[in-house]
Amino acid sequence: EAHVNNYSLFSAGCAQVEIDVLTGETQVNSFDLVYDSGKSLNPAVDIGQIEGSLIQALGFSLLEEEARGKDGRLINCGTWDYKVPSGRDIPVRLDVELLPCEHPDAPVLGSKASGEPAQLLGGAFFFAVKDAIGYAREEQGLSRNFCMDPPASPDRIQ
């Protein structure tokens, strides 16, 4: 039982973005990620799961904004108003590196989860955009400190 409770997973990611302050559009130039998947049973599957989870998180961070009416009903429940990531939204360069397995003691043949944990790295997209906005504000003589709630959609960037 102590073996199962000792299940730790480590990862780190870094996003590089460009924003157009006039249109609010964002281009994700690159995302570099290192990920602890333990003793991967199938590296290609693990990398695919990590990339898919990361792009889903990109959507949550930059595109997908729920609009609700006064009665609480969702009013942008179609793809006309509710934007999910498309092929043009994914990073131009996306590098995923699986960390070498030092101690294959994870519960399932030494492997670790590869899908959902990568969602947490998606915050890097939001904070990279927020940082870029801060630099643009600084160039205009404004403070780099400002409040911004996710998603960092084009409307919010403008």
Side-chain angles (χ1 to χ4, degrees):
E1 188 173 321
H3 178 70
V4 174
N5 291 335
N6 223 1
Y7 185 91
S8 298
L9 190 144
F10 304 95
S11 60
C14 181
Q16 181 190 49
V17 302
E18 287 182 36
I19 61 167
D20 183 324
V21 294
L22 296 177
T23 66
E25 293 298 318
T26 298
Q27 173 66 58
V28 181
N29 292 328
S30 67
F31 196 92
D32 296 292
L33 177 145
V34 290
Y35 197 90
D36 170 24
S37 62
K39 182 179 179 227
S40 178
L41 301 178
N42 186 330
V45 169
D46 284 342
I47 289 171
Q49 288 290 306
I50 292 164
E51 290 175 343
S53 183
L54 190 66
I55 298 308
Q56 184 178 14
L58 177 146
F60 293 151
S61 295
L62 303 182
L63 303 167
E64 300 178 42
E65 185 170 6
E66 292 183 350
R68 298 197 175 266
K70 291 182 182 181
D71 60 357
R73 285 186 319 114
L74 189 63
I75 57 175
N76 65 336
C77 53
T79 55
W80 189 259
D81 295 316
Y82 186 86
K83 302 300 180 195
V84 296
S86 71
R88 304 191 108 215
D89 297 312
I90 63 172
V92 173
R93 186 180 56 76
L94 174 57
D95 289 332
V96 177
E97 179 183 342
L98 300 179
L99 293 172
C101 181
E102 300 290 329
H103 306 285
D105 56 356
V108 182
L109 301 175
S111 70
K112 297 181 180 181
S114 60
E116 290 81 1
Q119 280 268 332
L120 300 174
L121 298 173
F125 295 114
F126 173 78
F127 289 109
V129 169
K130 189 172 187 290
D131 199 40
I133 295 168
Y135 279 106
R137 289 171 54 93
E138 187 176 60
E139 286 179 1
Q140 298 301 312
L142 301 170
S143 171
R144 290 194 61 215
N145 297 323
F146 65 100
C147 289
M148 181 178 188
D149 293 325
S153 60
D155 290 342
R156 292 186 180 182
I157 292 172
Q158 290 175 324

mmCIF file of all heavy atoms in Angstrom, residues 105-131:
data_model
loop_
_atom_site.group_PDB
_atom_site.id
_atom_site.type_symbol
_atom_site.label_atom_id
_atom_site.label_comp_id
_atom_site.label_asym_id
_atom_site.label_seq_id
_atom_site.Cartn_x
_atom_site.Cartn_y
_atom_site.Cartn_z
ATOM 1 N N ASP A 105 9.097 2.066 -10.309
ATOM 2 C CA ASP A 105 8.319 1.500 -9.208
ATOM 3 C C ASP A 105 6.878 2.002 -9.182
ATOM 4 O O ASP A 105 6.197 1.876 -8.186
ATOM 5 C CB ASP A 105 9.001 1.788 -7.871
ATOM 6 C CG ASP A 105 9.231 3.275 -7.643
ATOM 7 O OD1 ASP A 105 8.941 4.075 -8.550
ATOM 8 O OD2 ASP A 105 9.700 3.635 -6.553
ATOM 9 N N ALA A 106 6.416 2.575 -10.270
ATOM 10 C CA ALA A 106 5.014 3.012 -10.345
ATOM 11 C C ALA A 106 4.118 1.769 -10.357
ATOM 12 O O ALA A 106 4.547 0.675 -10.748
ATOM 13 C CB ALA A 106 4.793 3.853 -11.588
ATOM 14 N N PRO A 107 2.866 1.905 -9.934
ATOM 15 C CA PRO A 107 1.986 0.749 -9.742
ATOM 16 C C PRO A 107 1.719 -0.129 -10.962
ATOM 17 O O PRO A 107 1.558 -1.321 -10.822
ATOM 18 C CB PRO A 107 0.681 1.372 -9.255
ATOM 19 C CG PRO A 107 1.045 2.699 -8.736
ATOM 20 C CD PRO A 107 2.256 3.137 -9.491
ATOM 21 N N VAL A 108 1.660 0.416 -12.175
ATOM 22 C CA VAL A 108 1.296 -0.389 -13.347
ATOM 23 C C VAL A 108 2.542 -0.628 -14.207
ATOM 24 O O VAL A 108 2.860 0.172 -15.090
ATOM 25 C CB VAL A 108 0.181 0.287 -14.175
ATOM 26 C CG1 VAL A 108 -0.219 -0.591 -15.349
ATOM 27 C CG2 VAL A 108 -1.011 0.602 -13.306
ATOM 28 N N LEU A 109 3.259 -1.681 -13.918
ATOM 29 C CA LEU A 109 4.466 -2.067 -14.661
ATOM 30 C C LEU A 109 5.482 -0.927 -14.774
ATOM 31 O O LEU A 109 6.211 -0.821 -15.747
ATOM 32 C CB LEU A 109 4.090 -2.586 -16.059
ATOM 33 C CG LEU A 109 3.159 -3.793 -16.097
ATOM 34 C CD1 LEU A 109 2.781 -4.112 -17.537
ATOM 35 C CD2 LEU A 109 3.806 -4.997 -15.433
ATOM 36 N N GLY A 110 5.507 -0.058 -13.808
ATOM 37 C CA GLY A 110 6.446 1.056 -13.793
ATOM 38 C C GLY A 110 6.004 2.268 -14.587
ATOM 39 O O GLY A 110 6.694 3.278 -14.617
ATOM 40 N N SER A 111 4.827 2.201 -15.247
ATOM 41 C CA SER A 111 4.368 3.339 -16.050
ATOM 42 C C SER A 111 3.547 4.306 -15.196
ATOM 43 O O SER A 111 3.055 3.941 -14.138
ATOM 44 C CB SER A 111 3.535 2.864 -17.234
ATOM 45 O OG SER A 111 2.301 2.350 -16.780
ATOM 46 N N LYS A 112 3.431 5.529 -15.676
ATOM 47 C CA LYS A 112 2.645 6.558 -14.987
ATOM 48 C C LYS A 112 1.653 7.175 -15.967
ATOM 49 O O LYS A 112 1.790 7.034 -17.181
ATOM 50 C CB LYS A 112 3.567 7.645 -14.432
ATOM 51 C CG LYS A 112 4.534 7.138 -13.372
ATOM 52 C CD LYS A 112 5.386 8.256 -12.844
ATOM 53 C CE LYS A 112 6.347 7.758 -11.790
ATOM 54 N NZ LYS A 112 7.172 8.861 -11.251
ATOM 55 N N ALA A 113 0.685 7.888 -15.434
ATOM 56 C CA ALA A 113 -0.350 8.524 -16.252
ATOM 57 C C ALA A 113 0.278 9.499 -17.244
ATOM 58 O O ALA A 113 1.223 10.204 -16.915
ATOM 59 C CB ALA A 113 -1.350 9.244 -15.361
ATOM 60 N N SER A 114 -0.282 9.541 -18.446
ATOM 61 C CA SER A 114 0.294 10.424 -19.459
ATOM 62 C C SER A 114 -0.719 11.397 -20.052
ATOM 63 O O SER A 114 -0.340 12.255 -20.828
ATOM 64 C CB SER A 114 0.923 9.603 -20.585
ATOM 65 O OG SER A 114 -0.040 8.795 -21.209
ATOM 66 N N GLY A 115 -1.974 11.306 -19.733
ATOM 67 C CA GLY A 115 -2.964 12.184 -20.342
ATOM 68 C C GLY A 115 -3.306 13.376 -19.481
ATOM 69 O O GLY A 115 -2.813 14.480 -19.686
ATOM 70 N N GLU A 116 -4.157 13.156 -18.498
ATOM 71 C CA GLU A 116 -4.717 14.254 -17.722
ATOM 72 C C GLU A 116 -3.686 15.120 -16.988
ATOM 73 O O GLU A 116 -3.848 16.331 -16.926
ATOM 74 C CB GLU A 116 -5.753 13.724 -16.720
ATOM 75 C CG GLU A 116 -7.017 13.219 -17.363
ATOM 76 C CD GLU A 116 -6.890 11.800 -17.923
ATOM 77 O OE1 GLU A 116 -5.801 11.184 -17.789
ATOM 78 O OE2 GLU A 116 -7.867 11.316 -18.492
ATOM 79 N N PRO A 117 -2.613 14.560 -16.400
ATOM 80 C CA PRO A 117 -1.672 15.436 -15.687
ATOM 81 C C PRO A 117 -1.079 16.551 -16.551
ATOM 82 O O PRO A 117 -0.760 17.623 -16.039
ATOM 83 C CB PRO A 117 -0.589 14.469 -15.196
ATOM 84 C CG PRO A 117 -1.293 13.170 -15.056
ATOM 85 C CD PRO A 117 -2.270 13.141 -16.208
ATOM 86 N N ALA A 118 -0.945 16.323 -17.852
ATOM 87 C CA ALA A 118 -0.375 17.350 -18.735
ATOM 88 C C ALA A 118 -1.286 18.575 -18.837
ATOM 89 O O ALA A 118 -0.838 19.652 -19.237
ATOM 90 C CB ALA A 118 -0.101 16.772 -20.114
ATOM 91 N N GLN A 119 -2.563 18.433 -18.465
ATOM 92 C CA GLN A 119 -3.489 19.576 -18.473
ATOM 93 C C GLN A 119 -2.936 20.731 -17.637
ATOM 94 O O GLN A 119 -3.125 21.893 -17.975
ATOM 95 C CB GLN A 119 -4.839 19.164 -17.879
ATOM 96 C CG GLN A 119 -5.728 18.419 -18.809
ATOM 97 C CD GLN A 119 -6.645 19.358 -19.547
ATOM 98 O OE1 GLN A 119 -6.995 20.425 -19.057
ATOM 99 N NE2 GLN A 119 -7.024 18.971 -20.728
ATOM 100 N N LEU A 120 -2.274 20.393 -16.551
ATOM 101 C CA LEU A 120 -1.773 21.431 -15.648
ATOM 102 C C LEU A 120 -0.740 22.329 -16.310
ATOM 103 O O LEU A 120 -0.577 23.478 -15.922
ATOM 104 C CB LEU A 120 -1.194 20.794 -14.384
ATOM 105 C CG LEU A 120 -2.185 19.968 -13.575
ATOM 106 C CD1 LEU A 120 -1.483 19.266 -12.425
ATOM 107 C CD2 LEU A 120 -3.332 20.829 -13.067
ATOM 108 N N LEU A 121 -0.054 21.813 -17.314
ATOM 109 C CA LEU A 121 0.962 22.609 -18.000
ATOM 110 C C LEU A 121 0.343 23.658 -18.920
ATOM 111 O O LEU A 121 1.015 24.582 -19.356
ATOM 112 C CB LEU A 121 1.886 21.698 -18.800
ATOM 113 C CG LEU A 121 2.673 20.690 -17.966
ATOM 114 C CD1 LEU A 121 3.428 19.736 -18.878
ATOM 115 C CD2 LEU A 121 3.617 21.390 -17.018
ATOM 116 N N GLY A 122 -0.936 23.508 -19.220
ATOM 117 C CA GLY A 122 -1.611 24.444 -20.118
ATOM 118 C C GLY A 122 -1.683 25.860 -19.592
ATOM 119 O O GLY A 122 -1.852 26.804 -20.357
ATOM 120 N N GLY A 123 -1.528 26.026 -18.296
ATOM 121 C CA GLY A 123 -1.489 27.379 -17.733
ATOM 122 C C GLY A 123 -0.338 28.197 -18.294
ATOM 123 O O GLY A 123 -0.391 29.429 -18.312
ATOM 124 N N ALA A 124 0.697 27.523 -18.778
ATOM 125 C CA ALA A 124 1.844 28.232 -19.354
ATOM 126 C C ALA A 124 1.429 29.075 -20.557
ATOM 127 O O ALA A 124 1.977 30.154 -20.787
ATOM 128 C CB ALA A 124 2.940 27.245 -19.752
ATOM 129 N N PHE A 125 0.446 28.604 -21.335
ATOM 130 C CA PHE A 125 -0.039 29.391 -22.473
ATOM 131 C C PHE A 125 -0.640 30.711 -21.988
ATOM 132 O O PHE A 125 -0.331 31.780 -22.519
ATOM 133 C CB PHE A 125 -1.104 28.621 -23.265
ATOM 134 C CG PHE A 125 -0.612 27.380 -23.935
ATOM 135 C CD1 PHE A 125 -1.059 26.135 -23.532
ATOM 136 C CD2 PHE A 125 0.299 27.448 -24.978
ATOM 137 C CE1 PHE A 125 -0.624 24.986 -24.156
ATOM 138 C CE2 PHE A 125 0.747 26.300 -25.614
ATOM 139 C CZ PHE A 125 0.286 25.063 -25.199
ATOM 140 N N PHE A 126 -1.522 30.623 -20.997
ATOM 141 C CA PHE A 126 -2.176 31.818 -20.467
ATOM 142 C C PHE A 126 -1.152 32.804 -19.918
ATOM 143 O O PHE A 126 -1.189 33.995 -20.230
ATOM 144 C CB PHE A 126 -3.187 31.441 -19.378
ATOM 145 C CG PHE A 126 -3.779 32.617 -18.685
ATOM 146 C CD1 PHE A 126 -4.779 33.361 -19.286
ATOM 147 C CD2 PHE A 126 -3.332 33.014 -17.440
ATOM 148 C CE1 PHE A 126 -5.327 34.464 -18.660
ATOM 149 C CE2 PHE A 126 -3.869 34.120 -16.799
ATOM 150 C CZ PHE A 126 -4.870 34.846 -17.412
ATOM 151 N N PHE A 127 -0.219 32.306 -19.099
ATOM 152 C CA PHE A 127 0.733 33.218 -18.466
ATOM 153 C C PHE A 127 1.749 33.769 -19.452
ATOM 154 O O PHE A 127 2.243 34.894 -19.278
ATOM 155 C CB PHE A 127 1.390 32.545 -17.265
ATOM 156 C CG PHE A 127 0.431 32.375 -16.123
ATOM 157 C CD1 PHE A 127 -0.045 31.130 -15.780
ATOM 158 C CD2 PHE A 127 -0.036 33.484 -15.432
ATOM 159 C CE1 PHE A 127 -0.958 30.976 -14.747
ATOM 160 C CE2 PHE A 127 -0.940 33.348 -14.400
ATOM 161 C CZ PHE A 127 -1.409 32.088 -14.051
ATOM 162 N N ALA A 128 2.059 33.050 -20.521
ATOM 163 C CA ALA A 128 2.932 33.599 -21.565
ATOM 164 C C ALA A 128 2.238 34.762 -22.276
ATOM 165 O O ALA A 128 2.851 35.800 -22.553
ATOM 166 C CB ALA A 128 3.321 32.511 -22.565
ATOM 167 N N VAL A 129 0.947 34.606 -22.557
ATOM 168 C CA VAL A 129 0.180 35.694 -23.188
ATOM 169 C C VAL A 129 0.080 36.875 -22.238
ATOM 170 O O VAL A 129 0.288 38.032 -22.636
ATOM 171 C CB VAL A 129 -1.224 35.206 -23.621
ATOM 172 C CG1 VAL A 129 -2.106 36.376 -24.016
ATOM 173 C CG2 VAL A 129 -1.103 34.223 -24.774
ATOM 174 N N LYS A 130 -0.213 36.613 -20.985
ATOM 175 C CA LYS A 130 -0.322 37.694 -20.000
ATOM 176 C C LYS A 130 1.007 38.447 -19.884
ATOM 177 O O LYS A 130 1.039 39.681 -19.791
ATOM 178 C CB LYS A 130 -0.758 37.148 -18.641
ATOM 179 C CG LYS A 130 -1.101 38.224 -17.632
ATOM 180 C CD LYS A 130 -1.714 37.606 -16.387
ATOM 181 C CE LYS A 130 -2.221 38.648 -15.418
ATOM 182 N NZ LYS A 130 -1.211 39.421 -14.748
ATOM 183 N N ASP A 131 2.106 37.708 -19.918
ATOM 184 C CA ASP A 131 3.420 38.332 -19.854
ATOM 185 C C ASP A 131 3.674 39.192 -21.095
ATOM 186 O O ASP A 131 4.204 40.306 -20.996
ATOM 187 C CB ASP A 131 4.490 37.257 -19.717
ATOM 188 C CG ASP A 131 5.801 37.793 -19.187
ATOM 189 O OD1 ASP A 131 5.790 38.641 -18.275
ATOM 190 O OD2 ASP A 131 6.859 37.350 -19.689
#
